[in-house]
């Protein structure tokens, strides 16, 4: 059984993005390299870039923050924040951020999975020479504070990773993503949970030893049993 991470580290959800995590770094880098053009020199009728505070507000929607909290973080009035959320170009920018971060997240998480033996993600003791899950998942310690819409985008990208890539990677992708939910205490979407279990059941039944990575059907069955046990204890 994977030990869950204490909730207290994410109790200050408004300040969670100030920690050095994958998401906080994504927001920081996005702001650093954003260079909005002013109105000067832009022909009438052409769209102008978001001002910095509006761009910042669009990035903060990646966290599970209320509009009032985004107002407090950006120093923009609540009325203006509400107005922006009603604008199509603002919603398009939020969607762009979600998709961009979902891609970055899944790639980073998959490489995290490659860094550890499969057994560790199914609750087995970690070798003394290996980092703990707290160390491995340090960049995702604010995962529980991601917005529901961002989690949907991540699920969609993760689904692509385990269905469209080489089959040898699907076990690692499933195991590390499942472990992150358990470790962070984040409830996985029920439909996506069912999809992952079905995918794993299918692989457990049909997998044949692959000499390229040495994985066996037994490993799939073992992971499946751990996930089902975890599901029943949730």
């Amino acid at each position: 059984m994977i030990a869950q991470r204490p909730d207290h580290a994410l109790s200050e959800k408004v300040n969670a993005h100030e920690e050095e995590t994958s998401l906080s770094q994504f927001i920081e880098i996005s702001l650093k390299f954003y260079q909005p053009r002013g109105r000067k020199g832009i022909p009438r009728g052409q769209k102008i870039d978001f001002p910095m505070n509006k761009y910042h507000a669009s990035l903060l929607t990646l966290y599970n923050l209320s509009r009032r909290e985004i107002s407090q973080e950006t120093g923009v009035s609540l009325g203006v924040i509400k107005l922006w959320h009603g604008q199509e170009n603002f919603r398009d920018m939020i969607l762009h951020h979600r998709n961009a971060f979902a891609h970055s997240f899944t790639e980073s998480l998959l490489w995290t999975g490659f860094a550890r033996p499969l057994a560790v993600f199914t609750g087995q003791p970690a070798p003394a020479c290996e980092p703990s899950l707290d160390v491995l998942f340090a960049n995702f310690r604010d995962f529980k504070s991601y917005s529901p819409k961002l989690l949907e985008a991540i699920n969609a990208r993760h689904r692509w990773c385990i269905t469209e890539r080489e089959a040898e990677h699907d076990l690692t992708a499933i195991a590390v993503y499942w472990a992150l939910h358990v470790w962070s205490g984040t409830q996985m979407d029920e439909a996506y949970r069912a999809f992952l279990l079905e995918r794993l059941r299918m692989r457990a039944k049909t997998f044949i030893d692959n000499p390229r990575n040495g994985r066996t059907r037994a490993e799939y069955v073992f992971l499946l049993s751990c996930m089902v046990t975890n599901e029943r204890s949730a």
Side-chain angles (χ1 to χ4, degrees), residues 89-216:
N89 63 347
F90 189 76
R91 295 194 297 269
D92 288 344
M93 182 63 76
I94 292 173
L95 182 60
H96 169 77
H97 294 324
R98 284 181 196 147
N99 291 335
F101 182 72
H103 181 275
S104 171
F105 174 94
T106 50
E107 293 299 313
S108 180
L109 189 65
L110 186 59
W111 281 109
T112 297
F114 291 155
R116 288 300 295 273
L118 169 65
V120 174
F121 292 118
T122 54
Q124 301 305 297
C129 61
E130 297 284 350
S132 66
L133 289 185
D134 288 342
V135 173
L136 274 183
F137 288 149
N139 283 339
F140 313 112
R141 61 180 174 271
D142 55 354
F143 181 67
K144 197 172 184 179
S145 64
Y146 289 8
S147 76
K149 291 292 186 181
L150 177 56
L151 291 175
E152 288 179 12
I154 289 172
N155 285 349
R157 180 66 188 179
H158 186 258
R159 179 190 288 261
W160 180 90
C161 284
I162 64 176
T163 56
E164 300 299 327
R165 286 185 167 181
E166 293 183 52
E168 65 186 82
H169 293 163
D170 65 351
L171 178 59
T172 299
I174 292 173
V176 67
Y177 194 42
W178 193 284
L180 177 60
H181 277 80
V182 176
W183 174 82
S184 65
T186 303
Q187 186 69 33
M188 183 178 285
D189 176 77
E190 288 300 322
Y192 198 62
R193 178 195 295 265
F195 164 74
L196 291 183
L197 283 169
E198 182 57 32
R199 173 80 181 185
L200 197 58
R201 289 188 178 103
M202 177 187 69
R203 296 291 289 149
K205 292 177 182 177
T206 62
F207 189 78
I208 300 174
D209 290 0
N210 186 337
R212 290 193 299 169
N213 59 20
R215 288 178 176 156
T216 65

Side-chain angles (χ1 to χ4, degrees), residues 5-16:
R5 187 169 186 271
D7 288 339
H8 64 79
L10 294 176
S11 60
E12 298 292 336
K13 69 175 183 177
V14 177
N15 294 322

